[in-house]
Amino acid sequence: MPKLPPPPSQHLLSLLLLILCIATTNVAASVSGSQKFKEAPRFYNSPNCPPLSSYDICSPEAVHVAMTLDFSYLRGTMAAILSILQHSSCPENLRFHFVSSSSSASLHSAITSSFPYLRSQIYTFHTSSVSGLISTSIRSALDSPLNYARNYLANLLPPCVQRVIYLDSDIILVDDISVLAATPLGETAVLAAPEYCNANFTSYFTPTFWSNPSLSLIFAGRSACYFNTGVMVIDLERWRQGDYTTKIVEWMELQKRIRIYVLGSLPPFLLVFAGNIAPVDHRWNQHGLGGDNFQGLCRDLHPGPVSLLHWSGKGKPWARLDANRPCPLDALWAPYDLLQTPFALES
């Protein structure tokens, strides 16, 4: 009978476990950073596009677009950019401003690899400025500090940028973004967005808020309606003049002392701007396609024309497609997916 080898020592077992843990960690890191994206085609201006006096990131005649940038939503951002360029009559006149909280270089490199001709700039958002002001909401993804970066666009972007379109990463455009950029803001409005006055506006605030006259009277004389902050046209010059970042932060500070609202970064915008924004047609934010914030169930389009599809809610099209549980409308997102797959997908 062959002689069995002696059992490994405790020291050797510990070493083997350590090597296994390191290998497992490296595999996980490789998987998380393994997304590769295809290069998008180049898009050119039509003959009637207005000439720009400057081709840098500050060009005043350009259409400026701001988006946040992180690893978890990078695939959505890529698809959004492609849809914007593909449907723009003057794609070379677009300027993209990306805000990221970390790993800026690698994220921006991914963007420029897929869109080598894109005129863009990346800005670092130091999350420490809001980390102590975030209160928990109904979905953990809504509590990410980067969700609050839109509050600071006027500080992050160069002063030369006077108007910007802010877009979430879970959107697809099927219309020319220059039409949205040309939204008239009137003489006083700071931002424009589609409003939804049939939504239950009171549900975004707690009974504590509504029972306190000094708080609830903030809406007195204002025809306050819900609007989605994932699609906004912002006059940064007026924002800076009115110091609206400070106004939003003051409401967030009050929220930390007494809970006056729910749902993360949206209510401070409602408190400051609801009832005082320029209108935008609903076609520019067909939102809620990601379902509710709990289950992310499938939804249909709202009645009427569509210029922008928005998968707000828990369900994201790329996640549902990967899980082989897509909703019918996710088929509208799929053609813009730039993810490089090791196999050809059947149509």
Side-chain angles (χ1 to χ4, degrees):
M1 183 173 182
K3 186 178 180 181
L4 296 174
S9 66
Q10 186 64 38
H11 176 73
L12 181 58
L13 282 173
S14 299
L15 182 60
L16 289 170
L17 285 172
L18 178 61
I19 293 171
L20 180 61
C21 288
I22 292 172
T24 304
T25 302
N26 286 340
V27 168
S30 174
V31 170
S32 66
S34 62
Q35 287 190 123
K36 302 295 182 183
F37 296 94
K38 296 174 285 189
E39 181 176 329
R42 184 175 184 178
F43 298 93
Y44 297 90
N45 281 357
S46 61
N48 59 346
C49 289
L52 303 185
S53 59
S54 170
Y55 285 91
D56 62 18
I57 201 68
C58 283
S59 180
E61 302 92 352
V63 172
H64 294 272
V65 180
M67 305 179 74
T68 57
L69 199 58
D70 66 351
F71 284 108
S72 58
Y73 279 78
L74 181 59
R75 190 170 167 190
T77 305
M78 291 283 196
I81 297 169
L82 177 58
S83 73
I84 294 168
L85 294 172
Q86 183 170 320
H87 294 282
S88 173
S89 58
C90 303
E92 294 175 284
N93 290 7
L94 300 179
R95 301 292 181 268
F96 284 82
H97 305 264
F98 298 110
V99 179
S100 175
S101 58
S102 62
S103 305
S104 300
S106 58
L107 284 168
H108 200 215
S109 176
I111 295 290
T112 54
S113 294
S114 287
F115 302 97
Y117 306 104
L118 196 71
R119 295 187 181 274
S120 64
Q121 180 70 41
I122 194 163
Y123 311 86
T124 301
F125 175 58
H126 298 289
T127 57
S128 57
S129 57
V130 296
S131 57
L133 296 174
I134 298 174
S135 54
T136 56
S137 62
I138 59 177
R139 184 159 60 91
S140 59
L142 300 174
D143 302 333
S144 167
L146 200 58
N147 282 343
Y148 295 82
R150 71 195 81 184
N151 303 357
Y152 298 86
L153 289 176
N155 302 334
L156 292 167
L157 272 57
C160 59
V161 180
Q162 298 180 358
R163 178 185 282 216
V164 71
I165 300 172
Y166 173 81
L167 297 173
D168 277 349
S169 296
D170 51 0
I171 63 97
I172 290 294
L173 264 77
V174 291
D175 203 342
D176 193 337
I177 196 171
S178 65
V179 178
L180 179 60
T183 301
L185 292 177
E187 296 183 358
T188 59
V190 177
L191 64 84
E195 291 184 291
Y196 303 88
C197 295
N198 59 340
N200 185 3
F201 187 82
T202 60
S203 65
Y204 293 96
F205 302 93
T206 65
T208 300
F209 174 85
W210 293 115
S211 63
N212 187 327
S214 63
L215 296 176
S216 58
L217 283 175
I218 190 70
F219 293 118
R222 292 161 57 181
S223 299
C225 296
Y226 161 79
F227 65 94
N228 183 280
T229 53
V231 179
M232 297 185 291
V233 182
I234 307 173
D235 188 314
L236 294 177
E237 198 168 29
R238 291 178 183 175
W239 184 295
R240 296 177 183 115
Q241 291 170 355
D243 194 15
Y244 284 96
T245 296
T246 297
K247 291 178 171 64
I248 289 174
V249 168
E250 286 173 349
W251 284 111
M252 293 174 65
E253 290 173 340
L254 179 60
Q255 165 78 352
K256 294 299 290 185
R257 297 198 298 272
I258 54 171
R259 192 168 178 84
I260 60 172
Y261 59 73
V262 294
L263 204 63
S265 61
L266 169 64
F269 265 84
L270 298 178
L271 286 161
V272 174
F273 295 110
N276 293 320
I277 67 173
V280 175
D281 192 277
H282 287 184
R283 68 189 302 158
W284 287 103
N285 195 352
Q286 285 266 352
H287 69 288
L289 304 186
D292 59 275
N293 282 303
F294 297 99
Q295 294 178 288
L297 301 176
C298 298
R299 286 184 177 173
D300 294 327
L301 288 174
H302 308 296
V306 180
S307 291
L308 184 149
L309 301 111
H310 187 185
W311 278 263
S312 57
K314 184 178 181 180
K316 302 306 174 189
W318 55 90
R320 296 194 293 213
L321 287 164
D322 286 351
N324 202 27
R325 292 196 301 271
C327 292
L329 290 177
D330 295 343
L332 300 176
W333 182 89
Y336 301 96
D337 187 11
L338 285 173
L339 185 68
Q340 182 73 61
T341 56
F343 50 87
L345 293 173
E346 295 293 337
S347 62

